[in-house]
Amino acid sequence: MAIDPELLLHPSDKAALKALKAIPGFSQLVKGYMGILNERQMRIINMSSNLRLGEDQMPEIYRLLYPICDKLGIKVPELYLEMNVVPNAYTYGDTDPFIVITSGLLDNLPRDLISAVLAHECGHIACHHTLYRTIGIMIMRGFGQFVTGLASLLTVPLQLAFAYWMRCSEFSADRAAVLCEGGPDPMVRVCFAFAGCGKDYTTEASLNAFLAQAEDYKRLVADSKWNKAMEYILLSGKSHPLNVVRALECREWAASGQFLRIQDLMQYRLTASAGCDVPAPLSSGECARKKRADMETLFAEAGFTALEFVPPDAGPDAQIVSALADGERPFKKGDWIPNDARIVFACREEDPYGKSPENVIGGIASDAVNAVNGLIGSLFRGRQNPSAPEAVREAPAPLDLGEAAEKVTCRTVPDAGAIPFDDPRKLADSVRRSMDSASGIVEAANGVTAAGRPYVYTIVKHRIYTSGGSGIRRGTEYSLEFSVKNGVSAQTVSGVFREEEPGRRENEILASWRDTPHADGETWAGDPYDPFWNRGYLKTLAENAEFDGLYPDHPLSVIRGLVKYIAEHN
């Protein structure tokens, strides 16, 4: 199984690539180079001019790839030897990349370090660097400068950003080499060699002095902004970072807890000898609405051995509603969790519209909505609680959900103990930890229904983008999770509601708020329960319940009406 590249990517690699993609003209430049990038042509050039290594051609070097590719979980790439006195190695291609090493590398590097260089190049493949690095190499070598329509896209910012990202990507590939070699020393020695210590000078050369030099350089740059600026200027046209910096980065990463965890994970996947911590492939929130079969495969491949699905007989197409580690705590993508920890997925059957309308409140057609509007009451009604008031046992009047309801469903949660009915703040904290930057808490509250059943609910907002005749429009979608305790189990209503007139309520109330004096310290947007939480899509004052009466068709007004309806009729 391929190693997750997220485990190897250096922070500067991710940040530099994000900045590169944000530069105007990036996507057009990539498309332009892909038009002239011919992987087959590159392979033909290599096969016609260089030496292809294999089982029948310098097998001692070629076989070094086998354990490396096993550890990284990638296909063994083709390997070529190029006659070039400059010690170097590089990876070309996209869909089927290949590695080229030079004769100068074999002449100047001790043979026991060749595997570290190959592991570094395989690291570029494992980290999915190859396409952009191939384009970057073409840019730095001048390809495309005289191609019609492409030269104009080669702006200075893009050229500098490509070079900077290529330097940062080297740190990620170095991490792959450190991992495959079992520690930092081989890659540190490679950097030592590229800094000037060839294999003929090893008797008098000091690796410790080289590392001390690296520490001195780090302090030199850190002590002065001018020195830092000079470093950037001097490196701006180079594709590789400084050798002393790379050596130090390898040492520091190998001493981190992350390296030790990834090393244990790699050993576990290769030998299945003992349990270990494994990173969650998705967050709890990202699991929602995925199919059971997909999540079962994904988490099993990640190394988790104790997956539970509730109910156990949920079909392969059942939708995941929630995912909790040990059945009680949400997790983020990349969180390290013991591989034998219970990962409990609550499920519901997917897309029940037209198949079992008794489980749907809002849906695809108005007659379906009308037919089941009164059904929530029947799910929890007084016939399940003989002591309930007579009014509760009577069928409720239909509720009009209007056009805002995209989808509303009901499901049974077998273990009500997993839901904090007495602590909505705890529920809000749990939901908040699993949210992404485009979501935010609007409301979390609890209470007791007319029949005396505890309930708790959350309302979460999500930023969405829709396309239409006038282009891309930004809007807001709201999701409701409302749970009612029913003995040892619970009934949960989940709904998705969308604005019909995106932004109308918020814009009108914001205009009024700006023109009206307000209390000192009052802000337009913020988390309703944590004043220090400033991430995500924050709730605004326009979403307070006091404005629902002015906007009866707004999703929040409809959701709060639904909450009241369920509580009063159960």
Side-chain angles (χ1 to χ4, degrees):
M1 178 184 175
I3 192 168
D4 184 352
E6 286 291 326
L7 299 177
L8 299 175
L9 291 180
H10 191 279
S12 64
D13 181 353
K14 292 189 281 189
L17 184 59
K18 182 178 180 180
L20 172 61
K21 289 181 176 180
I23 296 177
F26 170 80
S27 58
Q28 295 93 324
L29 184 69
V30 170
K31 289 178 182 177
Y33 268 95
M34 289 184 71
I36 63 172
L37 172 64
N38 190 319
E39 192 172 308
R40 182 177 299 178
Q41 182 181 15
M42 293 179 183
R43 182 164 277 104
I44 290 173
I45 292 173
N46 268 286
M47 291 183 70
S48 64
S49 305
N50 298 329
L51 201 63
R52 184 176 66 184
L53 308 191
E55 287 295 340
D56 55 355
Q57 185 68 266
M58 302 178 68
E60 180 185 356
I61 294 177
Y62 179 73
R63 288 171 184 165
L64 294 174
L65 287 171
Y66 293 153
I68 294 169
C69 294
D70 279 345
K71 291 175 181 177
L72 296 179
I74 62 173
K75 173 186 172 184
V76 177
E78 287 188 348
L79 178 62
Y80 293 90
L81 178 62
E82 174 187 304
M83 176 60 72
N84 190 331
V85 296
V86 177
N88 194 18
Y90 54 89
T91 303
Y92 257 4
D94 177 21
T95 57
D96 194 15
F98 54 89
I99 298 172
V100 179
I101 58 175
T102 65
S103 56
L105 185 77
L106 300 183
D107 292 339
N108 289 278
L109 214 61
R111 190 55 57 95
D112 65 323
L113 296 184
I114 301 299
S115 64
V117 174
L118 293 177
H120 171 94
E121 295 304 323
C122 287
H124 282 309
I125 298 174
C127 292
H128 308 306
H129 287 156
T130 53
L131 173 60
Y132 290 160
R133 283 192 62 83
T134 299
I135 294 174
I137 291 171
M138 294 172 71
I139 290 174
M140 298 188 76
R141 292 183 177 179
F143 294 117
Q145 289 185 354
F146 305 103
V147 177
T148 302
L150 196 57
S152 61
L153 297 174
L154 284 170
T155 62
V156 172
L158 273 173
Q159 293 182 60
L160 292 176
F162 249 113
Y164 179 66
W165 170 73
M166 290 179 70
R167 295 196 297 275
C168 293
S169 71
E170 293 296 325
F171 295 132
S172 300
D174 283 348
R175 288 184 171 188
V178 170
L179 195 60
C180 291
E181 295 295 305
D185 290 349
M187 268 311 299
V188 170
R189 288 175 58 205
V190 168
C191 295
F192 188 32
F194 278 121
C197 181
K199 58 184 179 183
D200 295 333
Y201 309 131
T202 53
T203 55
E204 296 183 359
S206 170
L207 191 61
N208 289 333
F210 176 67
L211 290 170
Q213 173 186 336
E215 291 283 0
D216 290 342
Y217 176 80
K218 182 179 179 180
R219 284 190 294 271
L220 176 69
V221 173
D223 287 346
S224 167
K225 292 182 178 179
W226 173 247
N227 288 349
K228 188 68 178 174
M230 285 295 294
E231 178 192 48
Y232 180 81
I233 293 170
L234 293 172
L235 286 175
S236 59
K238 296 184 179 297
S239 62
H240 285 66
L242 301 172
N243 291 307
V244 292
V245 176
R246 291 176 63 183
L248 205 56
E249 284 282 346
C250 289
R251 273 290 177 96
E252 291 177 349
W253 188 65
S256 70
Q258 184 189 27
F259 167 74
L260 296 175
R261 276 176 158 167
I262 299 173
Q263 194 175 43
D264 288 345
L265 174 62
M266 182 178 287
Q267 183 66 22
Y268 168 73
R269 288 181 175 174
L270 290 173
T271 65
S273 57
C276 67
D277 290 350
V278 296
L282 293 177
S283 69
S284 294
E286 289 170 328
C287 292
R289 301 187 185 180
K290 300 290 194 303
K291 291 182 179 181
R292 169 186 170 157
D294 294 339
M295 294 299 95
E296 193 166 9
T297 300
L298 182 65
F299 277 76
E301 288 182 347
F304 290 97
T305 59
L307 305 180
E308 295 182 18
F309 294 88
V310 181
D313 59 350
D317 290 334
Q319 279 190 346
I320 302 300
V321 175
S322 65
L324 300 172
D326 292 323
E328 60 182 23
R329 67 181 197 281
F331 48 84
K332 298 178 182 178
K333 181 179 180 180
D335 279 356
W336 290 89
I337 304 171
N339 75 310
D340 57 355
R342 292 170 56 242
I343 307 297
V344 181
F345 298 91
C347 306
R348 65 165 178 245
E349 292 304 318
E350 183 184 24
D351 293 334
Y353 301 128
K355 300 175 184 177
S356 52
E358 67 274 13
N359 289 329
V360 184
I361 302 165
I364 53 177
S366 58
D367 57 342
V369 175
N370 294 332
V372 297
N373 257 332
L375 196 67
I376 297 179
S378 69
L379 290 173
F380 325 123
R381 211 164 41 238
R383 56 188 175 84
Q384 297 178 350
N385 184 0
S387 63
E390 184 68 26
V392 175
R393 294 201 297 268
E394 295 176 357
L399 173 68
D400 182 10
L401 294 174
E403 298 295 325
E406 290 285 312
K407 182 177 181 180
V408 185
T409 60
C410 302
R411 70 183 186 278
T412 299
V413 178
D415 183 12
I419 302 174
F421 287 100
D422 59 345
D423 192 353
R425 184 69 62 84
K426 181 179 179 181
L427 184 61
D429 291 341
S430 172
V431 172
R432 189 189 290 110
R433 286 195 298 271
S434 64
M435 291 188 312
D436 57 26
S437 61
S439 302
I441 286 281
V442 174
E443 197 167 300
N446 63 342
V448 179
T449 70
R453 293 187 174 89
Y455 70 80
V456 67
Y457 70 91
T458 58
I459 302 173
V460 177
K461 62 188 295 190
H462 313 273
R463 183 183 290 114
I464 60 172
Y465 296 89
T466 57
S467 58
S470 58
I472 303 298
R473 293 201 311 170
R474 190 176 80 172
T476 303
E477 186 178 85
Y478 297 87
S479 59
L480 168 70
E481 287 286 314
F482 183 104
S483 297
V484 180
K485 192 172 185 181
N486 186 23
V488 296
S489 64
Q491 298 287 345
T492 295
V493 175
S494 300
V496 177
F497 302 78
R498 185 172 295 183
E499 290 181 299
E500 289 300 307
E501 299 179 81
R504 179 191 162 209
R505 173 171 172 164
E506 180 167 334
N507 292 336
E508 291 178 357
I509 297 174
L510 176 59
S512 176
W513 180 76
R514 284 173 172 166
D515 294 338
T516 305
H518 38 272
D520 291 341
E522 183 182 46
T523 59
W524 172 250
D527 187 279
Y529 306 108
D530 185 349
F532 300 104
W533 185 271
N534 58 4
R535 301 190 297 276
Y537 192 21
L538 298 175
K539 176 189 176 183
T540 69
L541 296 179
E543 290 164 323
N544 289 346
E546 62 190 278
F547 299 111
D548 287 353
L550 298 175
Y551 303 90
D553 297 326
H554 188 271
L556 277 176
S557 307
V558 175
I559 290 173
R560 290 179 177 126
L562 177 58
V563 168
K564 181 180 179 182
Y565 173 83
I566 298 173
E568 289 179 348
H569 292 91
N570 293 282

